[in-house]
Amino acid sequence: QVQLVESGGGLVQAGGSLSLSCAASGRDFSKYAMGWFRQAPGKEREFVAAINWSGTSTYYVDSVEDRFTISRDNTKNTVYLQMNSLKPEDTAVYYCAQAKRGTVTIQLPDFGSWGQGTQVTVSS
């Protein structure tokens, strides 16, 4: 079972940037797609971004398109989420997750392993 550990969350003013990282332990990291999800208080966990096994295909929720960038380094077993032009509505706990397949997916049930989450707070 892979273990995922997120880092890089924090408090930032609106318009600022944060970079999240997710380090994976275990084997076969490069075989599987990865994703970022977020959950705000009182809301369901929602998809944010995903990347395929090789890093050549990505997908974003409309609300973060052109502001967030997902990437991965398979030599370091790490996936990243660069977040720019942050808005107060981006405030949430951010989770990385490993998919059960190599191609991009946005469906929560397609992800089998989850990190513990990292808090991102954007002040207005």
Side-chain angles (χ1 to χ4, degrees), residues 94-120:
Y94 283 70
Y95 299 90
C96 76
Q98 186 180 65
K100 302 173 188 175
R101 65 193 218 190
T103 53
V104 166
T105 176
I106 68 171
Q107 301 298 327
L108 195 147
D110 289 339
F111 291 84
S113 298
W114 295 83
Q116 82 287 351
T118 187
Q119 177 71 46
V120 171

Side-chain angles (χ1 to χ4, degrees), residues 16-18 20 35-39 46-51 58-71 80-95 106 120 122:
S17 299
L18 281 175
L20 305 184
W36 287 95
F37 290 76
R38 65 187 180 187
Q39 188 166 18
E46 67 168 353
F47 168 80
V48 175
I51 188 166
T58 59
Y59 193 86
Y60 301 90
V61 67
D62 286 348
S63 60
V64 309
E65 186 82 57
D66 298 328
R67 299 189 297 122
F68 290 10
T69 302
I70 187 171
S71 61
Y80 305 95
L81 185 68
Q82 177 64 42
M83 305 184 294
N84 298 328
S85 301
L86 283 161
K87 304 175 180 179
E89 51 264 43
D90 294 318
T91 295
V93 177
Y94 283 70
Y95 299 90
I106 68 171
V120 171
V122 185

